[in-house]
Amino acid sequence: MNIKQNFEAITTKIEEAAKKAGVSPSSIKLLAVTKTHPVSVLDEAIAAGLTCIAENKVQELTTKIPQLTNKPEEIHFIGHLQSNKINKLLSVKPDLIHSIDKISTLKKLNTKLEEMGLNQDILIQVNTSNEDSKSGINPNEFMDFIEQAKQFKCIKIKGLMTIGALTTDEEKIRNCFKLLKQLQLKAIEKYTDIDFGILSMGMSHDFEIAIEEGANMLRVGSLLFGNRFYA
Ligand SMILES: *Cc1c(COP(=O)(O)O)cnc(C)c1O
């Protein structure tokens, strides 16, 4: 497993897909999803130039970050956020929380941020695949969700996030990404004072499709670091 070589190979693929999509590769941010991997792997990744780190568990993220030799430029939280973990998550000052799908969580997050005198960038997670197991709001509820989310003064909406359908059927995956893009455009049209610029979509097996459909933030784990081993 050579992280630097994997990173280079993915960079080439991102460049090719971006060219196909008619966008600049530099407009696409690659996040290194380091969940389940030890601190040494994160240090190696950051040294190789993967400076944006993403984790999906609050406990794991907050344990690993203080142990790093190389500090990441950005810390992203991409997992389900339980409201009793909010304080802990905020202690590492995440640059972006991708996985907001409950107004009740936003409300608690906002209260805590007010106390701390901080603002927080977030994405709204949409369940575009209609799979019950997936987090994210129903696409039909998206506009209502914004209407409620925009009232929280310390919350800064920055865009949308989704996980593509878990299937080998490329069209099904592509439709998920198309739907997220459509929702983004709809939101931009209605809310000119909110920034919906980020489309976080695309993982190891589908990031090229995601780029073709407008992704500008990719969350890649196994293609960089190999298979995950769960204890
Ligand atoms: C694990 C994870 C990823 C990365 O998955 P890979 O298939 O290993 O690239 C991306 N997004 C989320 C939300 C994840 O939990």
Side-chain angles (χ1 to χ4, degrees):
M1 185 54 51
N2 184 320
I3 295 172
K4 200 163 175 65
Q5 278 174 15
N6 293 345
F7 179 26
E8 280 165 11
I10 294 168
T11 302
T12 304
K13 285 183 181 162
I14 291 173
E15 283 166 359
E16 283 165 6
K19 204 170 162 189
K20 225 170 137 181
V23 297
S24 164
S26 63
S27 67
I28 300 169
K29 190 174 276 183
L30 174 65
L31 308 184
V33 179
T34 50
K35 64 189 189 199
T36 76
H37 296 290
V39 171
S40 59
V41 168
L42 277 72
D43 272 325
E44 197 183 334
I46 296 165
L50 286 157
T51 53
C52 300
I53 296 295
E55 291 269 345
N56 73 333
K57 294 223 158 60
V58 172
Q59 183 63 42
E60 192 179 342
L61 176 66
T62 55
T63 306
K64 281 152 114 179
I65 291 296
Q67 296 181 54
L68 291 173
T69 310
N70 305 308
K71 295 295 164 205
E73 270 171 30
E74 293 181 16
I75 297 169
H76 292 250
F77 184 71
I78 60 174
H80 175 66
L81 179 57
Q82 291 168 275
S83 54
N84 62 353
K85 299 276 170 66
I86 286 173
N87 292 2
K88 194 147 204 186
L89 177 59
L90 291 180
S91 74
V92 296
K93 297 211 166 62
D95 291 277
L96 187 61
I97 300 174
H98 289 231
S99 36
I100 296 295
D101 64 358
K102 280 197 181 67
I103 293 297
S104 59
T105 307
L106 267 190
K107 188 165 187 236
K108 286 185 184 133
L109 188 57
N110 187 64
T111 303
K112 187 66 199 171
L113 288 163
E114 246 170 3
E115 273 172 43
M116 298 170 80
L118 294 174
N119 289 332
Q120 178 67 56
D121 288 352
I122 64 120
L123 304 179
I124 299 171
Q125 182 172 358
V126 183
N127 182 351
T128 53
S129 62
N130 207 10
E131 290 167 15
D132 287 343
S133 59
K134 290 251 169 76
S135 304
I137 58 166
N138 184 308
N140 298 326
E141 290 162 7
F142 178 61
M143 298 304 272
D144 275 349
F145 194 90
I146 301 169
E147 199 54 43
Q148 294 182 68
K150 75 185 177 72
Q151 68 179 303
F152 300 113
K153 296 283 173 287
C154 302
I155 305 286
K156 305 292 165 203
I157 301 173
K158 291 288 169 185
L160 293 71
M161 180 273 214
T162 200
I163 300 172
L166 191 66
T167 167
T168 52
D169 183 340
E170 213 175 273
E171 267 329 289
K172 280 201 180 127
I173 297 170
R174 191 177 294 279
N175 285 338
C176 294
F177 298 152
K178 273 193 200 302
L179 176 55
L180 201 71
K181 179 75 200 182
Q182 280 168 11
L183 293 174
Q184 181 200 31
L185 293 177
K186 211 169 144 184
I188 288 172
E189 200 180 1
K190 176 152 184 204
Y191 298 99
T192 47
D193 55 336
I194 302 177
D195 176 11
F196 292 98
I198 298 176
L199 272 193
S200 167
M201 57 188 196
M203 309 178 11
S204 290
H205 63 284
D206 58 15
F207 72 91
E208 288 159 292
I209 306 172
I211 292 170
E212 287 169 26
E213 300 305 330
N216 54 18
M217 194 171 274
L218 315 172
R219 309 177 310 265
V220 175
S222 42
L223 212 55
L224 284 166
F225 307 116
N227 291 332
R228 288 180 285 270
F229 298 100
Y230 293 92

